[in-house]
């Protein structure tokens, strides 16, 4: 096999200004479009959006209207009788104190819900990175959240006793979950199960769909609020609205996972809902909906993610709905 390679040439030294040197023409360089092009930073708009400007202006106008109305009312009361003016001032002061207390309570409720999200995000990061310092901060926060739960006093003492003896951050988070949240998870499952059963029974005997819808909404919102209080959230009115939005957003993200639950497969695959009467079928469906909302509320109000303990399933909290409905349907058939 012949070797067609050109033999290497010896290096030569020359000067660029020599006349015998001919420079090769420069080849055009084509741009490489395969390289990533840095995205242009979006230009920042105004600091205040139009919606924010509208609500701020509306709040200012309403505040001025209330001030002018109250000042005119108190002036009229003083013009009629001095004691009426002082009574008006007393009621106005009580109104302001109550308004400030309500606003402070709502702000505190919103802050507690935000704190739950922050603790859960920090716990997930500590588990992923095995960060001991971050895990200890998470455990301290969970201990402060559970300080107002008397039933967890012994669990808090046990956890604080083992806090300095665990080196791994992930193990510390798992230990705090098993120690502090096992009892709360059991109570949360029972709450969801009771709410689903009540909704199923009431909507099965309710004569109107409007009553069914109102009761399902009331039960679901009340359940979310109770679960948040169980895990240390204690939301107010605005906090409850934020919690409902958070739960619905969680359902929108994980809703596809619910179709794979064994209880749903049992109902759909075997056609059990079709064998029930219309009212009992509606009751079962409403109970399952309430249970799904309760499970989503547990996921968004629990301060720690499910790692050491198993996450509750739909069959765990609503498994008795279908069995109870079938028993009632069989009893009704025997009476007929």
């Amino acid at each position: 096999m012949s070797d067609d390679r050109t033999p290497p040439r010896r290096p030569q030294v020359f000067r660029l200004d020599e006349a015998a040197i001919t420079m090769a023409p420069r080849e055009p360089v084509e741009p490489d479009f395969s390289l990533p092009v840095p995205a242009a930073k979006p230009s920042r708009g105004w600091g205040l959006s139009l919606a924010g400007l509208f609500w701020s202006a509306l709040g200012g106008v309403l505040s001025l209207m209330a001030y002018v109305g109250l000042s005119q009312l108190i002036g009229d009361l003083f013009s009629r009788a001095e004691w009426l003016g002082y009574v008006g001032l007393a009621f106005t002061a009580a109104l302001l104190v109550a308004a400030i207390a309500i606003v402070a309570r709502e702000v505190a409720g919103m802050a507690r819900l935000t704190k739950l999200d922050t603790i859960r995000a920090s716990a997930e990061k500590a588990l992923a990175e095995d960060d001991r310092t971050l895990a200890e901060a998470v455990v301290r926060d969970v201990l402060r959240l559970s300080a107002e739960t008397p039933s967890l006093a012994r669990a808090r003492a046990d956890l604080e006793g083992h806090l300095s003896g665990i080196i791994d951050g992930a193990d510390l988070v798992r230990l705090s979950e098993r120690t502090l949240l096992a009892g709360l998870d059991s109570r949360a499952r029972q709450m969801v199960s009771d709410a689903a059963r009540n909704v199923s029974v009431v909507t099965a005997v309710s004569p109107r769909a409007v009553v069914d819808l109102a009761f399902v909404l009331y039960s679901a919102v009340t359940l979310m609020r109770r679960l948040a209080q169980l895990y240390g959230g204690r939301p107010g009115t605005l906090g409850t609205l934020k919690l409902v939005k958070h739960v619905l957003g969680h359902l929108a993200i994980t809703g596809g996972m619910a179709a794979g639950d064994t209880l749903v497969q049992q109902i759909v695959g075997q056609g059990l809902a079709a064998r029930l009467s219309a009212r009992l079928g509606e009751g079962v469906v409403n109970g399952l909906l309430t249970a799904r909302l309760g499970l989503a509320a547990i996921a968004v109000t629990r301060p720690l993610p499910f790692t050491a303990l198993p996450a509750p399933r739909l069959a765990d909290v609503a498994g008795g709905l279908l069995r109870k409905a079938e028993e009632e349907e069989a009893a009704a058939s025997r009476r007929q």
Side-chain angles (χ1 to χ4, degrees):
M1 181 176 182
S2 61
D3 190 1
D4 297 336
R5 292 180 299 177
T6 305
R9 294 188 302 174
R10 297 174 59 85
Q12 298 179 357
V13 179
F14 59 88
R15 295 176 58 185
L16 294 179
D17 55 353
E18 292 183 8
I21 297 298
T22 303
M23 303 294 294
R26 179 179 299 178
E27 298 181 357
V29 179
E30 297 182 358
D32 188 2
F33 294 100
S34 62
L35 297 178
V37 180
K41 295 183 179 180
S43 59
R44 293 185 177 181
W46 295 350
L48 187 64
S49 62
L50 292 178
L53 178 62
F54 170 78
W55 290 112
S56 300
L58 181 60
V61 170
L62 294 178
S63 301
L64 290 175
M65 289 175 60
Y67 172 75
V68 171
L70 286 175
S71 61
Q72 185 176 359
L73 175 62
I74 294 175
D76 293 341
L77 292 176
F78 271 110
S79 63
R80 291 177 180 272
E82 186 175 357
W83 65 273
L84 285 176
Y86 286 113
V87 170
L89 284 176
F91 280 119
T92 303
L95 177 63
L96 290 177
V97 170
I100 293 174
I102 291 174
V103 171
R105 185 182 63 183
E106 294 296 332
V107 171
M110 298 280 284
R112 283 190 292 267
L113 289 179
T114 304
K115 184 65 175 178
L116 291 177
D117 296 336
T118 303
I119 294 175
R120 187 166 52 253
S122 300
E124 292 174 353
K125 183 177 180 181
L127 287 168
E129 301 178 359
D130 199 11
D131 191 335
R132 176 65 172 74
T133 304
L134 183 59
E136 184 175 356
V138 167
V139 174
R140 298 288 185 189
D141 290 336
V142 176
L143 287 172
R144 281 191 289 269
L145 279 178
S146 61
E148 299 182 5
T149 306
S151 60
L152 296 178
R154 183 173 181 179
R156 287 195 301 270
D158 293 341
L159 182 59
E160 290 175 350
H162 295 89
L163 191 59
S164 59
I166 298 179
I167 300 176
D168 295 335
D171 292 339
L172 184 58
V173 175
R174 296 188 184 99
L175 176 64
S176 62
E177 181 187 3
R178 287 192 298 265
T179 305
L180 293 177
L181 299 185
L184 297 183
D185 291 342
S186 178
R187 292 167 58 185
R189 289 187 179 92
Q190 190 61 42
M191 287 182 183
V192 176
S193 179
D194 293 342
R197 184 175 60 252
N198 293 337
V199 168
S200 177
V201 172
V202 171
T203 56
V205 300
S206 176
R208 295 186 178 276
V210 177
V211 178
D212 295 350
L213 179 61
F215 186 75
V216 169
L217 291 177
Y218 172 77
S219 300
V221 173
T222 303
L223 177 62
M224 295 177 197
R225 189 184 180 96
R226 291 178 59 198
L227 289 172
Q229 292 174 352
L230 176 66
Y231 287 112
R234 302 193 313 276
T237 303
L238 295 179
T240 302
L241 295 177
K242 178 183 177 181
L243 177 61
V244 171
K245 181 181 178 181
H246 201 170
V247 170
L248 294 179
H250 179 81
L251 279 179
I253 296 174
T254 63
M257 299 173 60
D261 195 275
T262 56
L263 182 60
V264 177
Q265 290 177 351
Q266 182 183 6
I267 294 175
V268 177
Q270 300 180 8
L272 296 179
R275 295 179 358 216
L276 301 176
S277 65
R279 299 306 304 171
L280 287 178
E282 291 177 4
V284 170
V285 172
N286 291 331
L288 291 177
L289 174 61
T290 305
R292 281 294 301 142
L293 290 172
L295 294 180
I298 291 176
V300 301
T301 57
R302 196 175 190 266
L304 296 178
F306 286 99
T307 53
L309 299 176
R313 300 176 305 164
L314 190 60
D316 298 334
V317 297
L321 291 179
L322 191 59
R323 182 173 62 253
K324 183 176 178 60
E326 288 182 319
E327 292 175 356
E328 292 179 357
E329 184 72 12
S333 299
R334 286 193 299 268
R335 286 194 301 267
Q336 292 177 357

